Amino acid sequence: DGGITQSPKYLFRKEGQNVTLSCEQNLNHDAMYWYRQDPGQGLRLIYYSQIVNDFQKGDIAEGYSVSREKKESFPLTVTSAQKNPTAFYLCASHPRGYTEAFFGQGTRLTVV
Amino acid sequence: GENVEQHPSTLSVQEGDSAVIKCTYSDSASNYFPWYKQELGKGPQLIIDIRSNVGEKKDQRIAVTLNKTAKHFSLHITETQPEDSAVYFCAASRGSTLGRLYFGRGTQLTVWP
């Protein structure tokens, strides 16, 4: 089955620790995105990548980092510099030249 | 950048009634307007979209209308059912290869049986 897989579904970390969220897609999509979702805030763009080895900051990139070493994978690291990391994180992708985005099921990160 | 406003933030309707959610956008270059449905604890799913060369699009009980002059678009759900209860997001994009979407803040729709 083709799709976008985010893991884990739930993640707990202590304050001050870095944590990496996984996003893998087998749809052969070129573009991949990370969004953060907070209650009442909608979806805000953290980082996006259109091709391997290239990525750009979105609207709220501070405290986050990404890599795109493979077309299928776009992991997001939430660093200790992110002041309020507890949120629901969504990964999305779409093929080149299309704008219909497909979303993963999300990772809920809780920092205590 | 683009700014998408969505109203209302919550909407309660009786089963069988219609529901309408409205969005406005600011960037006149935006030309792709999708609507997503998000169920609790899941990722958003595309339910319908419209491009700027079309004024209305319908898919069974769901329709979307677009007024480019006024920069607003709306989602219409007819004959609502309890399983329509979810959070709905509108979005706008320039539709280029960049493809990044600008989202509204969402509408929590509750359909009472």
Side-chain angles (χ1 to χ4, degrees):
Chain A
D1 269 328
I4 302 175
T5 302
Q6 289 188 243
S7 60
K9 191 170 174 66
Y10 299 97
L11 192 53
F12 295 88
R13 278 295 181 270
K14 289 185 178 179
E15 195 172 328
Q17 290 181 334
N18 291 356
V19 60
T20 297
L21 282 59
S22 170
C23 178
E24 303 276 332
Q25 53 97 0
N26 59 4
L27 301 166
N28 199 33
H29 287 176
D30 294 291
M32 297 187 74
Y33 303 77
W34 275 105
Y35 290 91
R36 170 181 170 140
Q37 185 175 22
D38 297 283
Q41 294 267 3
L43 282 70
R44 294 182 290 168
L45 183 64
I46 306 172
Y47 268 98
Y48 60 98
S49 167
Q50 297 190 79
I51 56 172
V52 174
N53 293 323
D54 187 49
F55 49 83
Q56 286 80 40
K57 293 181 179 180
D59 302 322
I60 55 166
E62 186 175 349
Y64 299 98
S65 66
V66 293
S67 63
R68 187 86 186 276
E69 296 176 2
K70 298 187 298 181
K71 189 175 185 178
E72 310 79 45
S73 179
F74 191 40
L76 173 75
T77 297
V78 184
T79 74
S80 55
Q82 168 50 232
K83 296 199 185 327
N84 187 16
T86 294
F88 190 51
Y89 291 87
L90 287 159
C91 180
S93 72
H94 69 77
R96 184 190 297 275
Y98 291 85
T99 46
E100 179 184 337
F102 297 85
F103 282 84
Q105 294 298 291
T107 293
R108 184 165 299 281
L109 173 65
T110 303
V111 175
V112 296
Chain B
E2 173 67 277
N3 181 42
V4 178
E5 301 275 348
Q6 182 173 348
H7 298 281
S9 56
T10 60
L11 180 58
S12 291
V13 299
Q14 204 73 34
E15 183 176 1
D17 288 349
S18 295
V20 179
I21 302 170
K22 298 183 178 183
C23 289
T24 61
Y25 62 98
S26 61
D27 185 357
S28 56
S30 289
N31 59 13
Y32 174 67
F33 308 93
W35 285 88
Y36 285 85
K37 176 183 180 182
Q38 185 179 29
E39 296 177 345
L40 195 61
K42 296 186 177 181
Q45 276 196 302
L46 180 72
I47 56 171
I48 195 167
D49 56 13
I50 192 167
R51 297 188 184 274
S52 60
N53 57 348
V54 175
E56 183 175 358
K57 185 176 177 181
K58 200 171 180 181
D59 183 3
Q60 299 182 347
R61 296 185 297 108
I62 293 172
V64 57
T65 59
L66 171 65
N67 183 329
K68 277 221 81 175
T69 304
K71 296 203 194 80
H72 66 71
F73 55 112
S74 301
L75 177 71
H76 305 253
I77 305 174
T78 58
E79 300 170 27
T80 54
Q81 300 166 5
E83 50 265 39
D84 293 329
S85 296
V87 178
Y88 291 81
F89 291 98
C90 64
S93 166
R94 288 192 169 189
S96 66
T97 54
L98 172 59
R100 71 154 291 178
L101 294 165
Y102 294 84
F103 285 88
R105 293 193 170 202
T107 296
Q108 172 68 63
L109 173 64
T110 304
V111 181
W112 299 101

